[in-house]
Amino acid sequence: MTSLTPKGHASDTRAARLRKLLLSPRTTILMEAHNGLSAKLAEEAGFEALWGSGLSISAALGVRDNNEASWTQVLEVLEFMSDATELPILLDGDTGYGNFNNVRRLVRKLEQRSVAGVCLEDKLFPKTNSFISGEKQALAEVDEFCGKLRAAKDTQLDPDFVVVARTEAFIAGWGLEEALVRATAYAQSGADVILVHSKRKDSKEIMAFMESWNQRVPVVIVPTKYPSEPLASLEKAGVSNFIFANHSLRTVITALQRNLRTLRETRDLMSIERDIVPVSEVFRVQNVQELQSSEERYLPQSQHDASSAVILAASKGDFGDLVKDRPKAMLNFNGKPILSWHTDAFRRSGIRRIAAVRGYCKEAVDLGDIHYFDNHDYADTGEVASLYAAREFLRGDVVIAYGDIIFDDFILRALLAADHPIAVAVDSAWQLRGRADDKRDLVVTTGTEDPLGQRPCQLEAVGSSVDAARATGEWIGLLRLRADQTASLVSLLERIATDMPERLRKWDLPALLQHMVDQGTQISVVHSYGHWYDLDDQKGLLAASSQVAR
Ligand code: SPV
Ligand code: MG
């Protein structure tokens, strides 16, 4: 946030920060950046200010440092850099892209983009990089250049905007005296900082300049050609500001050349996979997270957009050889993994936040862009332990599903639409399914089945121990909680984990539901009549596959 000083101008603008950094005796390093990404990474690395290098920006654009990129093209890059970071940016403004009038317009446009300052050099447009035949480069007339500096200072609206005057006297072979005359004239014309540039392989010219410079205004240097000179010795000579002018660009070129060569030779993505950041790091740098949370806030939400789904897919299943390299949830069912039937069904119902809890052969559970949680102890624990593994995901309205069922969309829709804090989907045609093994989660309800959903019908008992003679239906393996009930469930799971760890390990979901019922929680029942399949074994898989459309 920007605060206002009593005089009425902002005291912590980027320009104010840059001014403070450059004018203070403390050492400041301006790190080169040439686009939004390198600006952001420099900020993350801890640098306090950026150098919008003409050399690097033009190289990144694929052109030469000879004003081949127009000033508005440079400005566009600067705008991306400025948007990507909070750091103050000093633009390498070359010669100002013309005369005093072009400089005025440049300063206006930079301020509009929150660029903190500009560096102008005393050469002629179009300029050439200082390290290319520097001695052949003509210098601007001192008076003409001083006029540019005065024009810049007169134009800036923010009194903190920084104008750096750069003398190329050493570069052009004019020597110390000319450098001092020019630096003095530029300081008198209002330059806030003097950049004195040298292309020698040692710091002799800079040291000589510093010895004679009266420190009227601070100095900034670009030690590209004398990188082995310790900053400390230059600091001792009175230099407090350093521009690391092209080191991000050169890092990028080094890495690209190496990896591209390797890829070309090996034609194998794995040959560089370990040397490069994962795509998730790209997303982090781009702050994808922020967009996702803003979407939740600003995009129109379909009825169930705010809902989440958790699929319990940790167990291996009794499928013999079929599951030697994958859990049953990843078995192919009519053309796609069972788990995909779930994720597709959830997405069709508007649920986009989906998680799967993995256990057995977890590497095989990969459906792309969903959340994954792991129950490492899957072999010795039950569904409640799996649910507990995903507890941090449990917020808002949540659907919890077994990973080995296939159900028609309308069952899910009825469950989502039910006007009850907690609801389970129950099949009242359970007796017609022709299976009476002990794996069925039979239920007893209070109240009777009500197709129109007008009579309350609550869960009374659930689980494989329910006597078939008393049963009124079979739980399908779908449970839906509204947000406050989700929060209560998480607290309950935490309590069980602390007070009854054995139960956390052993309980299946019916045991948890029964516990909730016994504690007085009302769990409503939404009935359906068939139209779901329990893929518990190969027989179930085969029977279901002939019933469900591909
Ligand atoms: C730049 O980074 O573009 C500079 C510094 O102006 S130098 O390349 O050393 O001239
Ligand atoms: Mg430059």
Side-chain angles (χ1 to χ4, degrees), residues 121-132:
E121 66 192 55
D122 53 2
K123 290 205 303 234
L124 304 181
F125 180 90
K127 51 67 58 85
T128 299
N129 184 273
S130 307
F131 301 142
I132 301 173

Side-chain angles (χ1 to χ4, degrees), residues 51-56 65 92-94 121 123 127-130 166 197:
W51 168 245
S53 157
L55 171 64
S56 300
D65 188 14
D92 171 7
D94 292 345
E121 66 192 55
K123 290 205 303 234
K127 51 67 58 85
T128 299
N129 184 273
S130 307
R166 161 172 168 174
H197 203 9

Side-chain angles (χ1 to χ4, degrees), residues 268-442:
D268 174 9
L269 292 177
M270 284 311 291
S271 64
I272 63 162
E273 185 68 21
R274 260 189 281 277
D275 294 337
I276 57 180
V277 295
V279 175
S280 58
E281 174 62 3
V282 181
F283 293 154
R284 186 198 64 75
V285 172
Q286 290 175 304
N287 203 1
V288 165
Q289 177 93 46
E290 186 281 331
L291 180 57
Q292 283 173 341
S293 48
S294 293
E295 279 174 353
E296 277 172 28
R297 196 148 8 121
Y298 298 119
L299 280 182
Q301 305 278 308
S302 93
Q303 194 185 354
H304 305 303
D305 266 355
S307 297
S308 308
V310 181
I311 309 158
L312 305 179
S315 62
K316 178 179 179 186
D318 298 331
F319 288 83
D321 256 11
L322 286 181
V323 290
K324 68 174 186 301
D325 60 354
R326 71 195 64 190
K328 63 179 167 182
M330 288 306 285
L331 286 178
N332 194 295
F333 177 79
N334 285 7
K336 59 185 179 188
I338 295 171
L339 211 52
S340 291
W341 285 83
H342 283 74
T343 52
D344 291 353
F346 289 132
R347 290 194 177 112
R348 279 195 299 274
S349 294
I351 300 177
R352 301 210 192 99
R353 193 170 167 267
I354 301 171
V357 182
R358 308 178 295 191
Y360 175 70
C361 282
K362 74 183 178 86
E363 324 65 51
V365 184
D366 184 7
L367 290 186
D369 198 13
I370 64 171
H371 301 255
Y372 296 100
F373 296 92
D374 296 326
N375 176 4
H376 299 289
D377 206 6
Y378 64 90
D380 295 316
T381 59
E383 293 145 9
V384 171
S386 289
L387 187 59
Y388 185 71
R391 63 195 177 284
E392 71 182 56
F393 185 80
L394 299 174
R395 61 184 152 82
D397 290 6
V398 169
V399 175
I400 299 168
Y402 280 168
D404 59 353
I405 52 171
I406 296 283
F407 49 86
D408 263 353
D409 279 10
F410 71 84
I411 298 179
L412 178 61
R413 277 204 296 274
L415 197 61
L416 288 169
D419 195 19
H420 309 292
I422 309 184
V424 286
V426 166
D427 178 18
S428 52
W430 62 284
Q431 279 162 315
L432 300 181
R433 288 208 309 123
R435 208 186 89 179
D437 60 41
D438 59 359
K439 289 184 193 150
R440 316 191 77 158
D441 294 323
L442 298 182

